[in-house]
Amino acid sequence: QGMQVIVSTNDYAKVEELANELSSVFGVQNVYIREHNGNKAILELDTNQKPHFIVRALKEKSKLGIYVEKISNSGMTLIVS
């Protein structure tokens, strides 16, 4: 099952760091950076987990500042600092 994650950040390195952290979350098989344009990036995950679980797991491990702007069953919009 695919999930879309839209990321707003002013630093592309943080998109890559987030992608690495996402790939280490339990139940996430693959993470793809599909698009990057200005301050927005679109990531796609192969996962059987719910977005709420993924956000909670990310916030526990991540050194990034992660703010959830929007969340639904099919994906989430995050602001990363």
Side-chain angles (χ1 to χ4, degrees):
Q1 174 184 341
M3 179 187 305
Q4 191 175 67
V5 181
I6 299 170
V7 181
S8 294
T9 183
N10 56 3
D11 184 353
Y12 185 73
K14 290 182 179 171
V15 174
E16 293 176 320
E17 191 176 334
L18 181 69
N20 287 336
E21 290 175 352
L22 280 166
S23 63
S24 69
V25 171
F26 176 78
V28 176
Q29 287 82 32
N30 296 302
V31 179
Y32 308 98
I33 300 174
R34 292 290 185 217
E35 203 176 299
H36 182 257
N37 188 354
N39 291 346
K40 276 214 182 340
I42 297 175
L43 279 60
E44 212 167 281
L45 318 180
D46 291 335
T47 183
N48 54 6
Q49 295 292 354
K50 298 281 182 234
H52 296 83
F53 172 87
I54 291 173
V55 166
R56 194 163 54 242
L58 259 184
K59 285 188 169 196
E60 283 173 11
K61 335 176 143 181
S62 184
K63 291 175 185 70
L64 295 166
I66 297 174
Y67 171 77
V68 179
E69 195 173 45
K70 197 168 93 185
I71 195 164
S72 70
N73 285 332
S74 58
M76 58 188 115
T77 303
L78 305 176
I79 297 172
V80 176
S81 59

